[in-house]
Amino acid sequence: MVVLHCAELGVNEHHQNEVVSYMRFARFKRGMCLKTVDSCFQDLKDSRLVEETFTVDEVIDMLDELQSVVHSEVESELINTTYTNVLLLRQLFSQAEKWYLKLQTDVSDLENRELLDQVAEFEKSEYTSSSEKSTADPIKPKLAPLNEGGSELLNKTVAHLQEENEKLKTRLRTIETQATAALDEKAKLEKSLRDLQMIQGDQKDITELENKVAALKSQFEKTLNDTTANQKFLEEDLMTTKHDLLKVQDQLSTAEKELEKKFQQTAAYRNMKEILTRKNEQIKDLRRRLSKYESED
């Protein structure tokens, strides 16, 4: 059960001032209602109680009329009070919904006599203190409306958001520092990776060159072996060819000799040889004559 301290409602100063403002409004409305009820009785006195004696029926008629008037006034005021309380709750709920809050009410506490007595005591103490303050200082500043800024909830929320903002800023600075360090480390790792890739690339190039050299060496050795074999074959073929050539030359020489021998043995050869001999003699004779003529000249 909620227990209210003397002259306190268990809320902060701002909300307590709002409650005091509402209680002043309610006191004013209550006073207006009582004045209305008093005027109903006064109207009855002024309009109907003009004679010294009344019959029972007349008294009953006057009381019924007074009851009807008072009932209507009180009912109207109670209805208006209910609507006023609904509007007050609407203001509070609207402010709470702006901050995504959900307020709850306990209707059973509205009939708690102990709490109602404590509220009455609070009103009495506030009314007494306000009367003293009004005597000392008749001009009192008005409270800010509920729907305007400056509420304690807003101040606490702003303070909480500022605190969260500072925490987020600190965390952001820490994350930025960590991110910077991570970027530096990443840059170092990327450089190391590039260097390693370059070394691997050089090793790969060296390996490729070694493979090419080995392939060329193998090809050269194969070519050299093929060349050596071809050279040996050519040398053997050359020797065979030389032998064949010498053999052919010998055969040709033998054939020429045999042909010459056979040709010398023929009659045509002998006639030709005689003709050549005569021609040679004639040439010699002509040379002698020519020499003789040249010497005479």
Side-chain angles (χ1 to χ4, degrees):
M1 181 180 64
V2 180
V3 179
L4 302 180
H5 300 285
C6 182
E8 291 183 0
L9 293 177
V11 295
N12 58 39
E13 182 180 359
H14 173 76
H15 290 160
Q16 184 165 310
N17 291 333
E18 294 296 324
V19 172
V20 171
S21 177
Y22 176 74
M23 294 180 70
R24 288 175 182 171
F25 171 75
R27 176 185 288 272
F28 171 75
K29 297 294 291 184
R30 185 168 65 246
M32 295 295 295
C33 180
L34 293 175
K35 287 181 180 180
T36 302
V37 173
D38 292 339
S39 66
C40 292
F41 282 90
Q42 187 63 40
D43 290 341
L44 178 62
K45 292 178 184 180
D46 295 339
S47 62
R48 301 293 298 273
L49 300 179
V50 293
E51 298 179 3
E52 293 182 359
T53 60
F54 296 93
T55 64
V56 176
D57 293 335
E58 289 176 342
V59 173
I60 293 174
D61 183 57
M62 286 188 293
L63 290 177
D64 290 340
E65 183 180 354
L66 178 61
Q67 179 186 6
S68 176
V69 174
V70 173
H71 182 276
S72 177
E73 290 293 337
V74 173
E75 182 183 18
S76 177
E77 186 61 31
L78 290 175
I79 292 174
N80 186 65
T81 301
T82 302
Y83 294 164
T84 303
N85 291 334
V86 171
L87 290 178
L88 180 61
L89 290 174
R90 178 178 176 273
Q91 291 182 12
L92 296 176
F93 292 156
S94 297
Q95 291 187 29
E97 289 175 0
K98 290 181 180 179
W99 297 99
Y100 304 98
L101 301 177
K102 293 182 179 180
L103 303 182
Q104 294 180 348
T105 59
D106 189 355
V107 181
S108 62
D109 284 341
L110 300 180
E111 296 181 352
N112 189 321
R113 177 50 53 186
E114 185 178 357
L115 294 178
L116 292 175
D117 292 339
Q118 290 177 4
V119 172
E121 185 180 355
F122 173 76
E123 181 184 16
K124 182 179 178 180
S125 62
E126 286 294 328
Y127 180 74
T128 303
S129 61
S130 63
S131 299
E132 294 175 355
K133 290 180 181 178
S134 62
T135 303
D137 187 10
I139 302 176
K140 184 177 180 63
K142 296 175 64 177
L143 294 175
L146 287 175
N147 58 352
E148 293 184 1
S151 65
E152 187 67 20
L153 176 61
L154 179 60
N155 292 333
K156 288 184 178 180
T157 305
V158 170
H160 177 70
L161 291 176
Q162 289 177 347
E163 182 180 357
E164 289 294 329
N165 190 28
E166 291 298 327
K167 291 181 181 179
L168 290 175
K169 287 182 179 179
T170 303
R171 185 179 178 185
L172 179 60
R173 286 193 293 269
T174 303
I175 293 175
E176 287 179 348
T177 303
Q178 294 175 354
T180 302
L183 290 175
D184 294 338
E185 185 67 20
K186 180 182 178 183
K188 292 180 181 179
L189 292 176
E190 288 179 349
K191 185 177 182 300
S192 300
L193 180 61
R194 287 194 298 270
D195 294 340
L196 180 61
Q197 289 176 348
M198 290 179 63
I199 293 173
Q200 291 178 348
D202 295 339
Q203 291 179 351
K204 184 177 180 181
D205 294 337
I206 292 173
T207 303
E208 291 179 355
L209 290 175
E210 289 178 350
N211 293 333
K212 289 181 179 180
V213 170
L216 290 174
K217 183 177 179 181
S218 177
Q219 185 177 3
F220 176 75
E221 290 177 354
K222 182 179 179 181
T223 304
L224 181 62
N225 292 331
D226 294 340
T227 303
T228 303
N230 291 333
Q231 183 178 3
K232 186 177 180 181
F233 174 76
L234 291 175
E235 288 178 353
E236 292 177 355
D237 186 50
L238 180 60
M239 292 296 296
T240 303
T241 304
K242 286 183 178 180
H243 290 154
D244 292 341
L245 178 62
L246 291 175
K247 185 176 180 180
V248 170
Q249 288 179 349
D250 182 62
Q251 291 177 355
L252 180 61
S253 176
T254 303
E256 288 179 350
K257 288 180 179 179
E258 290 180 356
L259 181 62
E260 184 178 359
K261 183 178 180 180
K262 289 179 180 182
F263 182 72
Q264 289 177 0
Q265 291 176 359
T266 59
Y269 175 76
R270 288 192 298 269
N271 294 330
M272 184 177 293
K273 187 175 180 180
E274 291 177 359
I275 292 171
L276 288 175
T277 300
R278 285 195 298 271
K279 292 294 182 182
N280 289 332
E281 290 297 332
Q282 291 177 0
I283 290 170
K284 289 179 181 180
D285 182 57
L286 290 174
R287 286 179 178 175
R288 283 194 300 270
R289 290 179 182 179
L290 180 61
S291 298
K292 182 178 177 180
Y293 288 133
E294 287 179 355
S295 60
E296 289 179 358
D297 291 336

